[in-house]
Amino acid sequence: MSAADSVRASSRWATRSIPIVLAAAVGYATYVTIYRVCVRYLIREQRNVGPAIAILVFYFLTLLLMSAAYFRTIHMINTDVPLVPLGPLAVERRAQANEKSQKAASSRDGDLESQPYYAATDSNPNSPGLEQFYTKTAFVCENDGRPKWCSECCNWKPDRAHHSSEINRCVIRMDHYCPWVGGMVAENSFKFFTQFCMYTACYCGVVLGAAGSTLKKKINEGAVLDPHLVAILAIGGFFGLFTFLMTTTSWRYIATNMTNVDMIGARKKVYQVAVRIPRGAERPEKYHTVTYPLPMVENSCDGAANGAASSPRQPQRDDLANRTFAILKTEPGENPWDLGLWRNWQEIMGSNILDWFLPIRRSPCVNHDNDESFYRMDKMLKQLRERYGIDGASADETDRMELREIQRNIT
């Protein structure tokens, strides 16, 4: 079982059996549309070749696009799920669990109450992974300014990462677990999933149009009703309505740069964002600050932290690496990643119009090489800085000055 497989046996069986159901539905639709509608009725009985050719062209075009998007989605879900790495403690715990019998392990799958729970955040100031946060300009944080922590994976969670109870792993920009496409839909497969839903709705529309028009003509002619036409109308109507609703929902998420998980309680949700402030800037009382790297502290004999540094003062080059962040709060319902309709669309679907329709290239949002944040939030950052009186231009100038100072020290 791979790391992205469901921990529930019922979900795994559904994931394996649904492709057979879909293949059977497509095969039956092909038989009805191609043979019973086009060949048998339009060409042989009606001698009407033009409409038959039109139906065939649209049918195979939508079938090709639907199949390409479906297999592209499955490929991404099974080969490149964006999982947050497990922390050392989580790796040790799971290795110990794997040594036990399969029966005992399966009885605990999905039952979090039967598993040991480690709620404490890693208190080590040099905790592995922290540097990927404080080297950014902004990141989502807790009250103390540290990133969010997953007690199950024992690791820091990047922005928009959520723990999935379905696969028992943290997933970056998780949307939902979908057995129809074989697993977890997340940042690198959401685009292809949306294209699959769209093309499936179009495919069902072609099938419904061909079968519906043929059935209507047969009724007008007083001919015996073809039960296959009635059956395919029911099947096509079900899948067509389902995928149409999924398509419109996905478009809504793209337009607002949200996910299914982000939408939960979105109207009242408040985010805390650690935003870098310039070196030496005044610190108003309306927000708290945190400085990275976190200081090392010593414990007294009674175990209390005395606040003294456990190591000598850092050299100048290390001091230059210190960064101070203001812990700011958004208003209820504000979306930190809303860049506007057009840029939201580009983040998922790409800037090239061919990428909107062809399931080839991945979404631009999967590239996390932006120095500002894990996901672009420049619009919200500007609003937060203005709201709390933070000079963003001074922070940028501080970066440039520190870089020049480090370069002089190196040379």
Side-chain angles (χ1 to χ4, degrees), residues 354-404:
L354 290 178
D355 292 335
W356 303 354
F357 300 98
L358 299 181
I360 299 176
R361 291 197 289 190
R362 300 190 299 173
S363 299
C365 69
V366 304
N367 300 318
H368 301 290
D369 53 359
N370 179 27
D371 293 333
E372 184 180 75
S373 54
F374 289 96
Y375 294 95
R376 296 188 181 276
M377 56 170 74
D378 44 310
K379 184 178 177 181
M380 176 56 64
L381 280 181
K382 182 179 179 181
Q383 294 177 0
L384 286 174
R385 283 168 172 161
E386 292 176 352
R387 190 178 300 164
Y388 287 90
I390 297 174
D391 189 353
S394 298
D396 295 337
E397 180 61 25
T398 299
D399 287 340
R400 290 190 289 269
M401 292 177 60
E402 291 179 359
L403 180 59
R404 289 195 294 267

Side-chain angles (χ1 to χ4, degrees), residues 7-29:
V7 297
R8 299 183 176 92
S10 58
S11 297
R12 292 197 298 270
W13 277 108
T15 299
R16 295 164 185 166
S17 59
I18 282 178
I20 300 175
V21 175
L22 295 179
V26 171
Y28 184 61

Side-chain angles (χ1 to χ4, degrees), residues 10-184:
S10 58
S11 297
R12 292 197 298 270
W13 277 108
T15 299
R16 295 164 185 166
S17 59
I18 282 178
I20 300 175
V21 175
L22 295 179
V26 171
Y28 184 61
T30 302
Y31 163 73
V32 174
T33 305
I34 302 304
Y35 176 70
R36 304 194 75 87
V37 172
C38 293
V39 176
R40 182 174 175 178
Y41 179 74
L42 291 177
I43 296 178
R44 292 181 181 176
E45 295 183 14
Q46 299 295 314
R47 304 294 180 181
N48 202 348
V49 179
I53 293 177
I55 291 174
L56 290 174
V57 170
F58 281 108
Y59 180 85
F60 283 109
L61 177 62
T62 55
L63 176 62
L64 175 63
L65 292 172
M66 178 186 70
S67 301
Y70 181 68
F71 288 115
R72 185 72 168 112
T73 305
I74 289 181
H75 176 262
M76 294 304 299
I77 285 176
N78 286 277
T79 61
D80 193 17
V81 178
L83 301 176
V84 177
L86 292 174
L89 180 57
V91 173
E92 180 182 355
R93 285 162 46 195
R94 299 192 181 198
Q96 293 175 353
N98 289 335
E99 293 177 355
K100 298 181 179 180
S101 66
Q102 186 65 31
K103 181 178 180 180
S106 62
S107 66
R108 292 191 302 270
D109 283 347
D111 183 9
L112 296 180
E113 294 183 355
S114 65
Q115 300 177 7
Y117 183 71
Y118 299 86
T121 303
D122 187 357
S123 59
N124 179 13
N126 294 323
S127 177
L130 270 181
E131 65 281 352
Q132 69 174 322
F133 294 89
Y134 64 78
T135 53
K136 301 286 187 182
T137 301
F139 58 90
V140 176
C141 66
E142 298 286 7
N143 292 332
D144 60 358
R146 299 191 187 198
K148 291 183 177 295
W149 174 264
C150 178
S151 57
E152 288 296 321
C153 296
C154 302
N155 207 347
W156 306 102
K157 295 197 293 186
D159 293 357
R160 310 188 78 176
H162 300 278
H163 188 85
S164 169
S165 59
E166 187 71 43
I167 64 174
N168 200 22
R169 289 291 298 272
C170 282
V171 183
I172 301 175
R173 207 179 190 279
M174 179 179 74
D175 190 81
H176 68 288
Y177 185 89
C178 181
W180 293 95
V181 293
M184 182 61 65

Side-chain angles (χ1 to χ4, degrees), residues 203-216:
Y203 170 82
C204 291
V206 173
V207 173
L208 290 172
S213 61
T214 301
L215 184 62
K216 182 180 179 180

Side-chain angles (χ1 to χ4, degrees), residues 92-378:
E92 180 182 355
R93 285 162 46 195
R94 299 192 181 198
Q96 293 175 353
N98 289 335
E99 293 177 355
K100 298 181 179 180
S101 66
Q102 186 65 31
K103 181 178 180 180
S106 62
S107 66
R108 292 191 302 270
D109 283 347
D111 183 9
L112 296 180
E113 294 183 355
S114 65
Q115 300 177 7
Y117 183 71
Y118 299 86
T121 303
D122 187 357
S123 59
N124 179 13
N126 294 323
S127 177
L130 270 181
E131 65 281 352
Q132 69 174 322
F133 294 89
Y134 64 78
T135 53
K136 301 286 187 182
T137 301
F139 58 90
V140 176
C141 66
E142 298 286 7
N143 292 332
D144 60 358
R146 299 191 187 198
K148 291 183 177 295
W149 174 264
C150 178
S151 57
E152 288 296 321
C153 296
C154 302
N155 207 347
W156 306 102
K157 295 197 293 186
D159 293 357
R160 310 188 78 176
H162 300 278
H163 188 85
S164 169
S165 59
E166 187 71 43
I167 64 174
N168 200 22
R169 289 291 298 272
C170 282
V171 183
I172 301 175
R173 207 179 190 279
M174 179 179 74
D175 190 81
H176 68 288
Y177 185 89
C178 181
W180 293 95
V181 293
M184 182 61 65
V185 177
E187 66 170 8
N188 57 355
S189 56
F190 184 74
K191 170 190 172 182
F192 307 128
F193 173 79
T194 301
Q195 291 172 331
F196 165 66
C197 292
M198 178 182 68
Y199 288 130
T200 303
C202 294
Y203 170 82
C204 291
V206 173
V207 173
L208 290 172
S213 61
T214 301
L215 184 62
K216 182 180 179 180
K217 289 179 180 179
K218 283 182 170 290
I219 293 176
N220 293 336
E221 295 169 357
V224 178
L225 294 181
D226 188 345
H228 292 285
L229 296 179
V230 178
I232 203 62
L233 284 174
I235 297 173
F238 169 77
F239 284 107
L241 178 61
F242 177 74
T243 52
F244 174 76
L245 294 176
M246 290 297 298
T247 302
T248 55
T249 301
S250 298
W251 284 349
R252 177 194 174 197
Y253 292 167
I254 293 173
T256 56
N257 202 353
M258 298 283 276
T259 65
N260 190 39
V261 176
D262 294 333
M263 282 292 185
I264 300 175
R267 294 184 179 181
K268 298 181 180 180
K269 189 178 295 184
V270 174
Y271 293 91
Q272 290 194 132
V273 184
V275 180
R276 191 185 178 195
I277 59 177
R279 181 182 299 276
E282 295 184 3
R283 304 176 187 180
E285 296 181 355
K286 56 184 177 181
Y287 60 77
H288 299 286
T289 62
V290 60
T291 300
Y292 286 93
L294 298 173
M296 300 291 292
V297 296
E298 293 179 347
N299 291 334
S300 60
C301 58
D302 60 355
N306 59 20
S310 61
S311 58
R313 186 180 184 276
Q314 295 175 327
Q316 183 181 9
R317 184 178 175 187
D318 291 338
D319 286 342
L320 291 172
N322 290 341
R323 293 188 168 196
T324 301
F325 292 81
I327 304 173
L328 311 180
K329 289 185 178 182
T330 65
E331 295 294 331
E334 283 186 326
N335 175 16
W337 302 283
D338 184 9
L339 307 176
L341 178 60
W342 175 237
R343 290 186 62 193
N344 289 343
W345 179 269
Q346 290 180 313
E347 281 287 290
I348 304 299
M349 304 304 294
S351 57
N352 190 325
I353 192 171
L354 290 178
D355 292 335
W356 303 354
F357 300 98
L358 299 181
I360 299 176
R361 291 197 289 190
R362 300 190 299 173
S363 299
C365 69
V366 304
N367 300 318
H368 301 290
D369 53 359
N370 179 27
D371 293 333
E372 184 180 75
S373 54
F374 289 96
Y375 294 95
R376 296 188 181 276
M377 56 170 74
D378 44 310

